[in-house]
């Protein structure tokens, strides 16, 4: 789609840097976020600010979204003043984690407007969004995947999951369950070590050279828990949403998810205690409080 502006709705922790990468690559952008402050850095770099999702879709054939919850994705896509009402849009590429149910529902509704839905959830956090090192998993018709490769490739490594809407979401939910489970169980192991008198940095170094290493020991603990900053960049409310969607999907498919259900409860406690806007590394604080220790080093 040469010389066409791209649309981008949802310019938060992930969407902001991803939209910035599109500008870096020379694309024209038309942007919308319900929080005008989120648009400001992109507008300062030449992006055009629209007044609604519909206005974005009046100007761009390809619109990307990075929005917090399934309800918001649905409202932005097919609600009043939504993308489906736009005159120009042909493809909606959704980078959010929405779950397969929403993906299928929105894809069907958009189909009635001759708009192609592409689910393209991403993994790799704010650092990956900034550096273009995300894992981007797509489900859509194969030909659409091939047409989108040059643009989606700006965000990181692409994976084609299949043609059915929502398949990529299933992969993403499985991944995020594992990330949250690793965080919860690493908190337990480290709290035990600290209570026994071990320096948590020494314990993390040993685990990272051993069979227990995982994304929490390699990344989240050294970066956000040991220094006590709890600022990894992923909200507790969003992680809770992802694991809830994951357990629901598993139940719908008739697959028991016992450990997953416990991870969901750990996030429910963290969400209740520290609030949905807190960083999800606050799971460790819940375990610290129960254990009566702090995991700092
Ligand atoms: P965020 O809350 O930082 O950003 C969401 C943005 O959407 C905000 O700027 C908000 O103002 C905007 N928004 C909310 N409602 C809107 C509406 N009705 N219309 C237009 N804009 C609206 O969230 P995030 O961390 O950037 O996450 C975005 C999505 O990416 C979520 O689905 C999340 O699960 C997923 N995700 C996040 C991470 C991460 O590490 N943060 C990693 C992978 C995937």
């Amino acid at each position: 789609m040469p010389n066409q502006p791209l649309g981008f709705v949802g310019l938060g922790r992930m969407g902001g840097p991803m939209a910035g990468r599109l500008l870096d690559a020379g694309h024209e952008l038309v942007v919308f976020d319900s929080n005008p402050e989120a648009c400001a850095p992109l507008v300062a770099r030449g992006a055009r600010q629209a007044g609604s999702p519909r206005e974005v879709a009046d100007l761009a054939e390809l619109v990307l979204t990075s929005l917090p919850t399934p309800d918001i994705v649905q409202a932005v896509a097919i609600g009043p003043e939504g993308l489906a009402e736009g005159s120009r849009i042909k493809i909606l590429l959704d980078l959010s984690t929405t779950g397969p149910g929403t993906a299928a529902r929105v894809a069907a509704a958009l189909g009635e407007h001759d708009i192609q839905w592409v689910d393209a959830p991403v993994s790799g956090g704010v650092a990956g969004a900034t550096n273009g090192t995300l894992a981007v998993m797509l489900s859509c018709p194969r030909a659409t995947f091939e047409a989108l490769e040059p643009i989606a490739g700006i965000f990181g490594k692409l994976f084609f999951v299949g043609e059915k809407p929502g398949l990529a979401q299933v992969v993403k939910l499985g991944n995020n369950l594992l990330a949250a489970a690793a965080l919860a169980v690493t908190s337990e192991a480290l709290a035990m070590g600290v209570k026994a008198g071990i320096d948590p940095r020494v314990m993390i170094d040993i685990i990272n050279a051993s069979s227990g290493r995982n994304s929490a020991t390699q990344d989240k603990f050294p970066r956000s828990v040991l220094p006590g900053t709890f600022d990894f960049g992923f909200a507790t409310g969003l992680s809770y949403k992802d694991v809830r969607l994951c357990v629901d999907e598993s139940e719908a498919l008739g697959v028991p998810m016992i450990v997953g259900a416990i991870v969901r409860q750990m996030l429910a406690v963290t969400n209740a205690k520290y609030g949905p806007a807190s960083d999800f590394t606050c799971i460790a604080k819940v375990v610290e409080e129960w254990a009566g220790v702090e995991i700092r080093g």
Side-chain angles (χ1 to χ4, degrees), residues 9-15 32-35 38 66-68 72 76 96-97 122 125-126 172 233-234 238 241-242:
V9 180
L11 303 157
R13 289 190 189 92
M14 296 296 285
F32 175 75
D33 192 294
S34 52
N35 170 14
S66 177
L67 294 160
I72 292 175
V76 165
S96 329
T97 308
V122 299
V126 176
K172 171 65 179 163
F234 189 45
L238 294 186
K241 165 213 54 164
D242 292 349

Side-chain angles (χ1 to χ4, degrees), residues 22-292:
L22 295 174
L23 286 178
D24 291 342
H27 290 284
E28 269 181 52
L29 277 192
V30 48
V31 298
F32 175 75
D33 192 294
S34 52
N35 170 14
E37 279 174 28
C39 298
L42 295 146
V43 171
R45 294 187 53 203
R48 174 168 172 183
Q49 186 169 354
S52 67
R54 180 190 53 72
E55 205 179 306
V56 173
D58 278 337
L59 296 166
E61 280 189 18
L62 171 60
V63 178
L64 301 90
T65 49
S66 177
L67 294 160
T69 65
D71 289 352
I72 292 175
V73 170
Q74 185 161 327
V76 165
I78 55 177
E81 286 295 293
L83 296 168
E85 294 180 6
S87 56
R88 196 159 188 190
I89 180 170
K90 292 207 169 76
I91 300 176
L92 168 49
L93 183 131
D94 181 36
L95 302 152
S96 329
T97 308
T98 52
T102 300
R105 251 192 323 280
V106 176
L110 289 175
E112 288 169 20
H113 299 260
D114 286 327
I115 301 167
Q116 177 68 55
W117 163 270
V118 177
D119 49 313
V122 299
S123 180
V126 176
T130 306
N131 300 325
T133 55
L134 294 169
V136 188
M137 35 209 120
L138 294 98
S139 38
C140 59
R142 182 101 214 179
T144 309
F145 172 77
E146 282 163 14
L148 289 172
E149 272 183 306
I151 286 168
I154 291 170
F155 304 137
K157 188 168 180 188
L158 305 185
F159 296 89
F160 179 71
V161 185
E163 300 217 338
K164 196 173 140 197
L167 282 184
Q169 290 290 338
V170 176
V171 179
K172 171 65 179 163
L173 295 184
N175 177 77
N176 281 26
L177 169 68
L178 292 175
L183 188 55
V185 79
T186 300
S187 303
E188 293 181 348
L190 265 289
M192 174 186 74
V194 170
K195 199 146 191 186
I198 299 161
D199 178 342
R201 216 166 260 283
V202 171
M203 186 157 172
I204 285 282
D205 286 347
I206 295 169
I207 291 171
N208 282 338
S210 306
S211 53
R213 69 181 169 276
N214 62 65
S215 59
T217 60
Q218 291 180 308
D219 200 5
K220 291 170 192 105
F221 268 68
R223 192 137 42 109
S224 301
V225 178
L226 296 185
T229 48
F230 298 96
D231 61 350
F232 189 74
F234 189 45
T236 300
L238 294 186
S239 178
Y240 182 32
K241 165 213 54 164
D242 292 349
V243 175
R244 243 181 10 235
L245 287 169
C246 185
V247 174
D248 288 351
E249 180 62 17
S250 192
E251 256 169 26
L253 289 167
V255 177
M257 198 168 260
I258 295 159
V259 178
I262 292 171
V263 175
R264 179 183 58 185
Q265 291 306 100
M266 287 296 293
L267 280 159
V269 172
T270 311
N271 197 61
K273 187 157 174 54
Y274 293 101
S278 67
D279 196 79
F280 86 139
T281 51
C282 287
I283 288 183
K285 283 204 214 179
V286 171
V287 176
E288 287 175 349
E289 192 177 316
W290 289 341

